[in-house]
Amino acid sequence: MVRHTVQWVESGGGPLIAVPETVLPFWAGADGDETASDYDRACELDGPVGLLPVGDSAALVLGDEPASTAYLPDHGTFVRWCAADTEAELLSGVPTALATAEWGEEMRWKVPGPVLLFDSAWPGTETGQADPLRVALTPGPYAVRAAWARPGPETWLGLVQLRPLAQ
């Protein structure tokens, strides 16, 4: 049995999404009567990261690849496992990846508190079945930036970094 040092969130093929706990009931996932479900809206986002309105807040969509994702609080970063033989190999490459990444444009995300990361196809009311990852964020604005990095010849990962901003 493989033991993991961090909790990884998997996707069934679509994007992962970090939804503030306060607005979870408003995320309908792939369900809904509308022509475009919340899941469809998440799939339409172009690029590695984006924001979608949910209730009176916004959710962070991790797009491009449905890679397994963990949150490393020491780095304030979601790490997306694209290629590595082991978790230890991937995690040991994070400091180099953070230092050498070519970051995309920053966006601003106002967070009301903790968020849950899960497969965007799940409704917010059913996240208990989706094996979500709870990320304890302090309420306030964050700068969000994303990059893909290759810290080793056989190690590729995605990074989505959250940096608290002064209010």
Side-chain angles (χ1 to χ4, degrees):
M1 177 178 184
V2 175
R3 291 217 182 272
H4 293 290
T5 58
V6 297
Q7 180 183 345
W8 295 93
V9 175
E10 303 285 333
S11 164
L16 294 174
I17 190 161
V19 179
E21 285 181 334
T22 58
V23 294
L24 272 175
F26 299 104
W27 181 260
D31 294 346
D33 300 328
E34 301 175 27
T35 55
S37 68
D38 286 341
Y39 172 76
D40 293 331
R41 292 189 310 137
C43 290
E44 289 171 4
L45 278 175
D46 191 27
V49 68
L51 296 172
L52 280 181
V54 179
D56 62 358
S57 190
L60 183 69
V61 179
L62 306 183
D64 275 351
E65 282 199 28
S68 297
T69 302
Y71 184 73
L72 304 181
D74 292 349
H75 298 289
T77 303
F78 288 104
V79 176
R80 314 198 66 208
W81 188 331
C82 299
D85 288 332
T86 66
E87 179 187 66
E89 181 181 302
L90 182 90
L91 294 176
S92 70
V94 169
T96 299
L98 288 167
T100 60
E102 292 185 25
W103 296 98
E105 189 174 324
E106 277 191 354
M107 64 180 63
R108 174 175 237 182
W109 183 29
K110 188 164 189 210
V111 179
V115 299
L116 287 185
L117 179 72
F118 57 95
D119 185 328
S120 61
W122 284 92
T125 56
E126 296 178 22
T127 55
Q129 299 172 42
D131 200 19
L133 170 64
R134 185 176 191 268
V135 179
L137 297 177
T138 302
Y142 287 79
V144 179
R145 63 183 185 167
W148 298 104
R150 190 173 181 174
E154 301 296 323
T155 306
W156 299 352
L157 51 95
L159 303 166
V160 177
Q161 191 171 53
L162 310 178
R163 184 173 42 86
L165 297 171
Q167 294 200 34

